[in-house]
Amino acid sequence: MNVTVTVNGVRYSRDVEPRTLLVYFLREHLGLTGTHVGCDTSTCGACTVLLNGKAVKSCTVLAVQAEGAQITTVEGLAQGDRLHPIQQAFWDEHGLQCGFCTPGMMLAAVDLLQRNPNPTEEQIRHALEGNLCRCTGYQHIVNAVQAAARAMSAAVGAPSGGE
Amino acid sequence: MIPATFEYVRAKSVREAVSLLQQHGGRAKLLAGGHSLLPLMKLRLSQPEVLIDLGPVEELRGVREEGSSVVIGAMTTHDELASSPLVRERVPLLAECAAQIGDVQVRNRGTLGGSLAHADPAADYPAAVLVLDAQMECEGPAGARTVPVSQWFVDMLTTALRPDEVLCRVRVPAQTRGQGWSYTKLPHPASGYSLLGVACLLSVDGGTVREARVAITGVGPKALRLPKVEQALAGKPADEASFAEAAKLASDGLDATDDLYASAEYKRHLAAVYTKRGLLRALERVRQ
Ligand SMILES: Cc1cc2nc3c(=O)[nH]c(=O)nc-3n(C[C@H](O)[C@H](O)[C@H](O)COP(=O)(O)OP(=O)(O)OC[C@H]3O[C@@H](n4cnc5c(N)ncnc54)[C@H](O)[C@@H]3O)c2cc1C
Ligand code: FES
Ligand code: FES
């Protein structure tokens, strides 16, 4: 069955079995291995991508369900050599150790910051409930999301709110 | 984990979905958000030969007001429900319930119709729609049919929906001004599903409970109203003492099941604790 999707601004068309999960479509058919498979059971969030702008677990979506959709993976965050503010913030705030959960964490954080540019710590923790990290203990991830929120608000000239 | 092979078809309308269901008999299943069905298919606990995707069916989306009811398309996602200004204004109990389901990613995909058709014993919506007295609007080969929610949940994973029917809309009477509400759940720490969840609607007149509706999900095979608690509250002072007294009846005759996480006895204990908590939160909102 044919699937046509736009991933990180590039249109791809491929023939797949209907049972192909979106995460394997991205990794194995398109070679975009930045999206990770952690649990394969809808629990860990490592496979999180943006599907038409919203964070989803791509191990729990069929590639054929994404027909016609716009998808953003971690490979689509940076603009050339310029890291996305969420990537820069994860770097600056030590938001990762092994990095396995990081692509999914960052895309879940982007979903949050689109809805709520100035989230409180509690709102950040709530928004990342679907993403598990075995290394960091989460505090540095929360710090990174707060730093990204400040950087992004400053960039659009909006008043940067307090926590 | 990869599902067994299946044929995939996209329905463009409810009528087309119904005729596809008829054509394929018991070999086909409808696909909504896929957040109950795909995990089961990956574990090969479910192996439909044909999947009929409701994703493209526009008529199943969206929320609108009709008279004193809010009508919600079956394909409306948990996130759309939780953030809909109309739902938050007219049926805030349902918005509060939707916001507590799973996590963001699950709420971005899972749908109201999928959850109510699946009837997972640990799902959250069932308790909310029971106290709201919702109507389930279905369509099948013989035409449209409305099932009151009191007749919807039959048993674990079993509803009044017929195999060749589509659940199209859920019609929810708007909450009345001054009514208190709450959805209070104890999430399973790993899955986020409800170990138990309690929905309350509370009408108070001059400090006296005029009507209380309470339903519980997660403890047994299906969600239930708690008529003994409701009756014990009617006409009583709206205060902590009468809530505590009535909440004791929550576990009375409650069909609780043991699971890996909690014993039936513990769940019965929690039923009383969460019923009282839920009533107190509903009362705070009466006063607001
Ligand atoms: C990690 C995780 C955590 C979760 N946590 C929670 C939670 O805390 N609380 C909770 O309530 N749920 C939870 N869920 C379940 C989630 O809410 C599901 O999305 C929901 O139960 C099913 O909706 P769906 O749209 O995904 O349905 P699907 O999985 O697509 O379908 C489920 C079943 O319903 C049938 N069906 C779907 N739509 C219709 C229709 N319109 N008419 C007739 N039949 C239909 C399908 O054929 C299928 O049998 C969780 C799921 C996951 C993966
Ligand atoms: S791999 Fe998808 S949620 Fe873990
Ligand atoms: S950094 Fe290792 S899992 Fe999160």
Side-chain angles (χ1 to χ4, degrees):
Chain A
M1 178 154 206
N2 184 267
V3 187
T4 303
V5 291
T6 303
V7 185
N8 306 326
V10 181
R11 233 171 113 89
Y12 297 89
S13 200
R14 294 283 189 278
D15 273 320
V16 298
E17 274 191 274
R19 62 176 171 162
T20 309
L21 298 164
L22 182 58
V23 68
Y24 294 109
F25 179 74
L26 294 168
R27 290 177 56 85
E28 291 167 13
H29 296 249
L30 305 186
L32 295 168
T33 52
T35 305
H36 293 163
V37 181
C39 63
D40 216 358
T41 56
S42 328
T43 312
C44 75
C47 63
T48 301
V49 301
L50 301 185
L51 182 65
N52 293 326
K54 292 192 162 187
V56 304
K57 293 174 179 172
S58 62
C59 72
T60 316
V61 177
L62 298 171
V64 289
Q65 287 179 287
E67 172 66 21
Q70 299 276 344
I71 296 167
T72 305
T73 68
V74 66
E75 289 94 342
L77 287 178
Q79 306 247 312
D81 285 344
R82 254 203 35 239
L83 292 182
H84 185 283
I86 192 77
Q87 292 174 305
Q88 189 63 49
F90 266 72
W91 183 331
D92 295 341
E93 299 291 332
H94 309 284
L96 61 145
Q97 288 178 23
C98 80
F100 194 83
C101 69
T102 315
M105 281 292 177
M106 292 196 298
L107 288 157
V110 170
D111 179 315
L112 167 68
L113 295 175
Q114 282 168 358
R115 296 166 193 246
N116 178 358
N118 270 307
T120 61
E121 168 163 358
E122 195 190 338
Q123 288 167 332
I124 294 171
R125 289 184 185 275
H126 181 59
L128 298 180
E129 269 170 6
N131 294 75
L132 302 181
C133 176
R134 302 298 303 268
C135 305
T136 63
Y138 301 98
Q139 188 57 50
H140 290 259
I141 293 175
V142 172
N143 295 349
V145 178
Q146 287 172 323
R150 285 191 296 271
M152 288 163 80
S153 309
V156 297
S160 157
E163 268 89 65
Chain B
M1 285 191 307
I2 310 290
T5 51
F6 54 83
E7 188 191 327
Y8 171 87
V9 261
R10 290 190 187 100
K12 272 159 238 81
S13 63
V14 170
R15 179 162 298 197
E16 191 184 351
V18 170
S19 77
L20 285 163
L21 279 173
Q22 270 190 296
Q23 186 185 321
H24 294 289
R27 303 187 304 125
K29 263 198 174 296
L30 298 171
L31 176 66
H35 271 53
S36 288
L37 186 52
L38 292 175
L40 289 173
M41 288 173 63
K42 287 166 75 175
L43 294 167
R44 311 256 170 142
L45 293 171
S46 174
Q47 305 198 3
E49 289 169 43
V50 182
L51 274 193
I52 304 165
D53 191 355
L54 295 175
V57 185
E58 273 310 312
E59 62 192 292
L60 292 179
R61 298 196 169 270
V63 179
R64 62 176 194 272
E65 194 164 15
E66 260 186 42
S68 57
S69 295
V70 176
V71 181
I72 304 160
M75 288 294 285
T76 306
T77 64
H78 311 328
D79 180 63
E80 286 162 353
L81 260 183
S83 47
S84 154
L86 178 62
V87 176
R88 291 165 69 114
E89 166 75 24
R90 306 289 280 148
V91 261
L93 169 61
L94 200 58
E96 174 161 285
C97 178
Q100 292 182 54
I101 295 176
D103 50 52
V104 179
Q105 291 95 324
V106 171
R107 293 194 291 275
N108 281 340
R109 289 298 292 172
T111 67
L112 176 66
S115 177
L116 294 176
H118 192 60
D120 192 298
D124 291 298
Y125 287 132
V129 292
L130 278 168
V131 295
L132 288 164
D133 261 340
Q135 305 276 327
M136 314 299 209
E137 302 186 352
C138 312
E139 214 170 300
R145 164 173 95 101
T146 299
V147 183
V149 71
S150 56
Q151 293 164 26
W152 182 257
F153 300 107
V154 175
D155 202 347
M156 188 188 296
L157 305 176
T158 309
T159 68
L161 190 77
R162 298 184 186 130
D164 51 7
E165 280 182 328
V166 177
L167 171 59
C168 298
R169 286 167 301 276
V170 181
R171 185 175 294 268
V172 190
Q175 293 174 224
T176 50
R177 208 169 283 284
Q179 214 172 26
W181 80 91
S182 64
Y183 183 72
T184 318
K185 82 184 255 190
L186 175 62
H188 185 288
S191 75
Y193 273 99
S194 272
L195 203 66
L196 95 171
V198 175
C200 299
L201 267 187
L202 190 65
S203 305
V204 176
D205 233 349
T208 303
V209 176
R210 191 157 49 77
E211 189 194 15
R213 296 194 210 154
V214 184
I216 192 162
T217 186
V219 290
K222 62 170 191 170
L224 306 161
R225 287 274 288 266
L226 297 175
K228 287 181 191 158
V229 175
E230 295 179 356
Q231 281 150 23
L233 285 164
K236 296 280 158 49
D239 61 22
E240 185 166 353
S242 38
F243 291 174
E245 203 50 44
K248 285 186 198 155
L249 300 169
S251 52
D252 205 21
L254 188 66
D255 181 10
T257 38
D258 288 309
D259 61 36
L260 285 175
Y261 189 74
S263 65
E265 190 193 349
Y266 180 52
K267 288 184 185 174
R268 272 194 287 268
H269 167 73
L270 288 176
V273 173
Y274 275 71
T275 298
K276 181 179 155 203
R277 260 185 221 177
L279 287 165
L280 285 170
R281 287 190 54 217
L283 182 62
E284 277 167 31
R285 273 137 170 191
V286 171
R287 288 178 178 150
Q288 271 168 18

